[in-house]
C-alpha cells in the first residue's frame, strides 16, 4: 500500500480511512518504490523508536512522503542536525541541549508566554471579529517564544515563517528554503560569537562549531513554532466543531487529549531504518528496510485507550500518546509546547467565552498535503457589545 493522507472534511480529525484496520506492521511502498513497513500500534511503535537496532540517520531511510522535490539518495546529516543522527553522536548534542530545556527553565518562561498571549488577545479584541486565528494568535505565540529563547530577532519572523512553511509543504522548494535559513542562521551565529546575549545560541557558542550551531538552531527554530502553531489552531477548530468547552478544570489533561486525538504529524511522522534483521509484532523487518509510523492510528490504539475515537478532555491516561515521540529522540521541547498550548487555549477561551467559527466547518481549509497537519486559516468570531 501507499500512505494515504487525505482526511475526510466531515471528520477532519480522524485518521485517513485507508489507515483503518491495518495489522500492527503493514507493508508500505515508499515514495521511491522501496518496500518497507508501516507501524500502526502503540506496542510496535515503541519497539521501533526505542530499539537501538533502528536508526534515525536520514541517508539510511526511505521516505513515505510523495513530494514534488528533486530525487536522489539522501545525504548524511550535516554536523549539528541531531534529529538525523544516532548515538553516540546524537548523545553529545542531546546532553548539551537538555540543560537548555529543563522543566525549571520552561516554567520560568510561563509569565512571558502569558503576556504574549494577552497582548495578542488585546489586539484581537481591538480589531474586532471576525479574525483569522492562525495569523492573529496561533502562529505569533510560539514564534515569539522560540525567537526569544534562541535569540533570533522577531522582526525577521515573516522570513523564517515563510521558509519554514516551504520546508513542510510537499510542493515547496525544500532545498532552497534550507539554504536560505542556514545562511541566515549562520550569520546570526557569527554575530553571537562577537556580541553574545542571554539566549540559547549564545550559551552554546563555546561548545559547538558555527556549522553545528547553525543546524541545531535550524531544527529548534522550525520545530519550535511550526508544530505548536498548527496544534494550537487545529485544537481550537476541534473544540469549536465538536462543541466542547475548554474549562479551567483539567487543563493539562485536556491538552494531552488534544495532542492524542489530533496527531498533527502524519506525513511527517518519525521513521527508522533497520540496522539488522529485527522482529516487530511478529514480522521480520530486514536490514535496510524502513519502518514509518502512523501516529494518527497509533494514538487511537484501542488496546491502549478506551473509546479511542472519542475526544474526552478529562481522559486520565491521554499522556500515553506518542505525539512527542519515544526513546532517545523524544522531543526536547515538549514541556515548552505543553506550556504554550495550556496557556494559549485557556487564555483564549477565558477572554472570548462565546468564541465560535465564523464560517461553516466544512469551509475551513485543511493542510492535507503538508507534513504537519493543521488549518491554513481559521476564521473565528465572538459576541460583541455595541
Amino acid at each position: 500500500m501507499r500512505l494515504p493522507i487525505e482526511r475526510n472534511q466531515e471528520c477532519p480529525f480522524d485518521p485517513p480511512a485507508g489507515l483503518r484496520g491495518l495489522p500492527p506492521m503493514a507493508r508500505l511502498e515508499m515514495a521511491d518504490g522501496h518496500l518497507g513497513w508501516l507501524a500502526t500500534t502503540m506496542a510496535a511503535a515503541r519497539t521501533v523508536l526505542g530499539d537501538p537496532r533502528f536508526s534515525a540517520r536520514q541517508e539510511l531511510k526511505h521516505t513515505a512522503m510523495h513530494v514534488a522535490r528533486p530525487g536522489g539518495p539522501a545525504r548524511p546529516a550535516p554536523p549539528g542536525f541531531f534529529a538525523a543522527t544516532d548515538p553516540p553522536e546524537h548523545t553529545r548534542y542531546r546532553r548539551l541541549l537538555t540543560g537548555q530545556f529543563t522543566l525549571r527553565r520552561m516554567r520560568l518562561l510561563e509569565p512571558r508566554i502569558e503576556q504574549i498571549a494577552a497582548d495578542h488577545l488585546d489586539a484581537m479584541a481591538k480589531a474586532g471579529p471576525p479574525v483569522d486565528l492562525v495569523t492573529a494568535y496561533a502562529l505569533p505565540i510560539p514564534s515569539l517564544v522560540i525567537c526569544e529563547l534562541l535569540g533570533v530577532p522577531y522582526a525577521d519572523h515573516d522570513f523564517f515563517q515563510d521558509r519554514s512553511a516551504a520546508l513542510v509543504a510537499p510542493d515547496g522548494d525544500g532545498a532552497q528554503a534550507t539554504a536560505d535559513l542556514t545562511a541566515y542562521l549562520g550569520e546570526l551565529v557569527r554575530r553571537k560569537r562577537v556580541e553574545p546575549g542571554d539566549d540559547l545560541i549564545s550559551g552554546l557558542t563555546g561548545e559547538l562549531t558555527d556549522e553545528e550551531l547553525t543546524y541545531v538552531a535550524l531544527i529548534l527554530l522550525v520545530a519550535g513554532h511550526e508544530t505548536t502553531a498548527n496544534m494550537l489552531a487545529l485544537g481550537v477548530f476541534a473544540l469549536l466543531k465538536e462543541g466542547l468547552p475548554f474549562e479551567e478544570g483539567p487543563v493539562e489533561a485536556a491538552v494531552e487529549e488534544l495532542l492524542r486525538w489530533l496527531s498533527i504529524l502524519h506525513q511527517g511522522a518519525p521513521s527508522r531504518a533497520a540496522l539488522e534483521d529485527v522482529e516487530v509484532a511478529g514480522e521480520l523487518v530486514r536490514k535496510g528496510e524502513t519502518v514509518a509510523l502512523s501516529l494518527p492510528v497509533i494514538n487511537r490504539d484501542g488496546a491502549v485507550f478506551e473509546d479511542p475515537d472519542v475526544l474526552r478532555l478529562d481522559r486520565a491516561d491521554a499522556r500515553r500518546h506518542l505525539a512527542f515521540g519515544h526513546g532517545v529522540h523524544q522531543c526536547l521541547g515538549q514541556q515548552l509546547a505543553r506550556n504554550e498550548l495550556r496557556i494559549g487555549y485557556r487564555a483564549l477561551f477565558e477572554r472570548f467565552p462565546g468564541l465560535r467559527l465564523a464560517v461553516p466547518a466544512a469551509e475551513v481549509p485543511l493542510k492535507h498535503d503538508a507534513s504537519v497537519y493543521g488549518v491554513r486559516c481559521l476564521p473565528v468570531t465572538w459576541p460583541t457589545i455595541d
Side-chain angles (χ1 to χ4, degrees), residues 154-164:
Y154 185 68
D156 297 333
H157 70 280
D158 286 338
F159 165 80
F160 70 74
Q161 286 170 359
D162 175 74
R163 301 307 189 274
S164 297

Side-chain angles (χ1 to χ4, degrees), residues 52 122 137 213 262 297 315:
D122 287 345
Y137 190 70
L213 195 44
L262 295 173
V297 175
R315 188 183 294 271

Side-chain angles (χ1 to χ4, degrees), residues 282-302:
E283 299 287 354
L284 183 62
V285 180
R286 297 288 186 182
K287 178 181 178 180
E289 291 184 331
T290 294
V291 181
L293 275 64
S294 176
L295 290 185
V297 175
I298 290 165
N299 284 335
R300 302 280 187 99
D301 189 340

Side-chain angles (χ1 to χ4, degrees), residues 26-41:
R27 273 301 193 181
L28 180 67
E29 182 183 349
M30 303 297 175
D32 61 0
H34 167 80
L35 191 59
W37 298 89
L38 183 69
T40 64
T41 65

Side-chain angles (χ1 to χ4, degrees), residues 107-129:
R107 283 177 175 166
L108 290 175
L109 285 174
E110 290 181 15
R112 179 57 182 146
I113 299 172
E114 291 169 350
Q115 185 59 57
I116 291 171
D119 290 345
H120 284 81
L121 291 172
D122 287 345
M124 284 173 55
K126 184 176 181 180

Side-chain angles (χ1 to χ4, degrees), residues 69 162-170 172-175 177-178 181 218 222 371:
R69 294 177 187 166
D162 175 74
R163 301 307 189 274
S164 297
L167 281 176
V168 299
D173 190 340
T178 300
L181 282 168
L218 174 65
V222 174
S371 299

Side-chain angles (χ1 to χ4, degrees), residues 141-151 220-221 224-225 336 340:
I141 292 175
S143 296
L144 265 166
V145 173
I146 198 63
C147 280
E148 293 184 5
L149 189 63
L150 294 178
L220 297 179
L221 180 63
H225 79 274
L336 175 60
E340 290 170 339

Side-chain angles (χ1 to χ4, degrees), residues 95-102 105-106 149 199-200 203-204:
R95 185 178 296 117
L96 288 172
L97 290 167
T98 298
Q100 305 291 330
F101 288 91
T102 62
R105 186 167 186 178
M106 294 305 100
L149 189 63
D199 56 73
L200 188 149
L204 292 175

